């Protein structure tokens, strides 16, 4: 297998706490040799993010931008233990893909059963392609159940570089290792996300690489090496 072809968890200035324009993002991704760049902005619930009208106007943006293929999505918030999401239904048709995850601005951590149910119900949601950063020990999960659900419902679990280097999360590294070991055991594909909030961080996986090496995680299970493989996870969704 060759090199990393895609990074689809990145944010532009529109998310309110990120700092680069779309033009800067695309040029950085091109310079780093990516074949596909995905930009998502936070959904309502995260302070300072864009209004829904931002997503509704995505149609004006060419999906080949300065010669690079791009996709435009949304990072949706999981709101409760039943997997209720922040996104309004009319936005699904406006975006190329949806990622979803827990953010403490709009989710109160519950028991391991409650958190696991929240994530599994989101995995089952036919609009959601990726569960982002399921690694924070302050919101414990039953990883075996999550991994098996991801396999069954053809939803990707993300290993998030930004989360791994954050000091505000609990046991992220240990949780990612547990999740990856289970993905390896059950042959479940994952996606790496830089979660870049500034263009320099696009394709920055420096906190992930050592873990993948340490547990000898198979490249075949990482969709970032194959754009076509990744696209299978978003084609039937949204
Ligand atoms: Zn996030
Ligand atoms: Zn993000």
């Amino acid at each position: 297998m060759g090199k990393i072809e895609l990074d689809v968890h990145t944010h532009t200035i529109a998310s309110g706490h990120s700092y680069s324009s779309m033009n800067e993002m695309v040029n950085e991704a091109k310079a780093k040799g990516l074949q596909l760049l995905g930009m998502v902005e936070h959904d309502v619930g995260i302070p300072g993010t864009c209004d829904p009208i931002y997503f509704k106007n995505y149609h004006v943006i060419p999906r080949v931008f300065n010669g690079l293929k791009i996709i435009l999505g949304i990072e949706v918030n999981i709101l409760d233990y039943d997997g209720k999401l922040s996104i309004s239904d009319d936005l699904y048709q406006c975006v190329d893909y949806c990622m979803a995850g827990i953010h403490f601005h709009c989710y109160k951590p519950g028991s391991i059963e409650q958190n696991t149910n929240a994530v599994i119900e989101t995995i089952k949601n036919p609009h959601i392609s990726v569960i982002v950063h399921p690694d924070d020990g302050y919101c414990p999960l039953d990883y075996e159940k999550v991994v098996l659900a991801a396999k069954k419902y053809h939803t990707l679990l993300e290993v998030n570089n930004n989360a791994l280097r954050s000091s505000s999360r609990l046991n992220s590294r240990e949780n990612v290792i547990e999740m990856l070991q289970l993905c390896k055991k059950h042959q479940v594909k994952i996606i790496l996300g830089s979660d870049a909030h500034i263009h320099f961080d696009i394709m920055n996986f420096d906190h992930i690489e050592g873990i993948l090496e340490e547990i000898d995680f198979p490249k075949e299970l990482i969709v970032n090496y194959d754009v076509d493989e990744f696209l299978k996870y978003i084609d039937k969704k949204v």
Side-chain angles (χ1 to χ4, degrees):
M1 295 186 75
K3 54 200 281 290
I4 296 269
E5 293 185 352
L6 62 100
D7 186 4
V8 297
H9 190 166
T10 73
H11 297 271
T12 76
I13 195 166
S15 276
H17 59 281
S18 32
Y19 308 96
S20 300
S21 68
M22 211 168 256
N23 204 41
E24 289 168 322
M25 301 289 282
V26 168
N27 289 340
E28 179 81 6
K30 272 179 72 177
K32 287 181 173 166
L34 280 190
Q35 291 187 26
L36 176 69
L37 173 69
M39 289 171 276
V40 289
E41 310 305 341
H42 284 285
D43 195 8
V44 288
I46 304 298
T49 197
C50 50
D51 286 321
I53 193 172
Y54 181 90
F55 303 102
K56 289 182 181 165
N57 208 32
Y58 266 169
H59 63 89
V60 303
I61 303 167
R63 296 315 200 254
V64 178
F65 190 125
N66 294 354
L68 179 73
K69 189 169 163 37
I70 65 164
I71 52 174
L72 300 169
I74 184 166
E75 182 175 354
V76 178
N77 305 303
I78 300 174
L79 298 177
D80 68 16
Y81 309 138
D82 297 322
K84 182 171 188 263
L85 300 178
S86 56
I87 186 171
S88 60
D89 286 348
D90 57 336
L91 285 191
Y92 286 124
Q93 60 183 354
C94 308
V95 299
D96 300 329
Y97 65 115
C98 295
M99 308 175 117
I102 287 171
H103 300 99
F104 291 161
H105 305 88
C106 38
Y107 180 92
K108 186 172 172 289
S111 65
I112 189 164
E113 291 78 17
Q114 288 170 320
N115 300 328
T116 302
N117 197 63
V119 169
I120 289 179
E121 288 305 311
T122 307
I123 285 172
K124 289 182 188 172
N125 187 315
H127 297 294
I128 303 300
S129 298
V130 180
I131 300 293
V132 294
H133 46 67
D135 55 54
D136 190 349
Y138 289 118
C139 182
L141 296 172
D142 182 328
Y143 284 104
E144 184 128 44
K145 285 186 180 154
V146 168
V147 164
L148 289 173
K151 179 171 189 166
K152 182 170 179 190
Y153 293 97
H154 203 63
T155 302
L156 290 165
L157 299 173
E158 181 200 50
V159 180
N160 184 299
N161 197 69
N162 212 22
L164 278 164
R165 71 182 175 187
S166 161
S167 56
S168 63
R169 301 169 82 87
L170 182 69
N171 296 334
S172 284
R173 191 173 193 279
E174 293 79 1
N175 291 333
V176 164
I177 289 173
E178 183 183 352
M179 182 175 86
L180 288 175
Q181 296 281 24
L182 288 162
C183 287
K184 193 174 163 184
K185 175 179 164 194
H186 296 294
Q187 294 289 294
V188 181
K189 295 202 176 180
I190 57 131
I191 186 164
L192 313 183
S194 69
D195 205 357
H197 284 65
I198 189 159
H199 58 286
F200 312 119
D201 265 339
I202 290 173
M203 218 173 114
N204 179 5
F205 303 122
D206 61 353
H207 280 62
I208 304 176
E209 284 153 4
I211 295 176
L212 296 174
E213 216 165 286
E214 186 180 317
I215 65 167
D216 197 20
F217 193 79
K219 272 189 168 181
E220 295 73 29
L221 294 181
I222 303 173
V223 297
N224 300 68
Y225 289 99
D226 188 343
V227 168
D228 292 335
E229 185 59 30
F230 166 71
L231 292 177
K232 287 182 198 164
Y233 284 82
I234 67 169
D235 277 355
K236 276 178 275 172
K237 308 209 177 189
V238 176

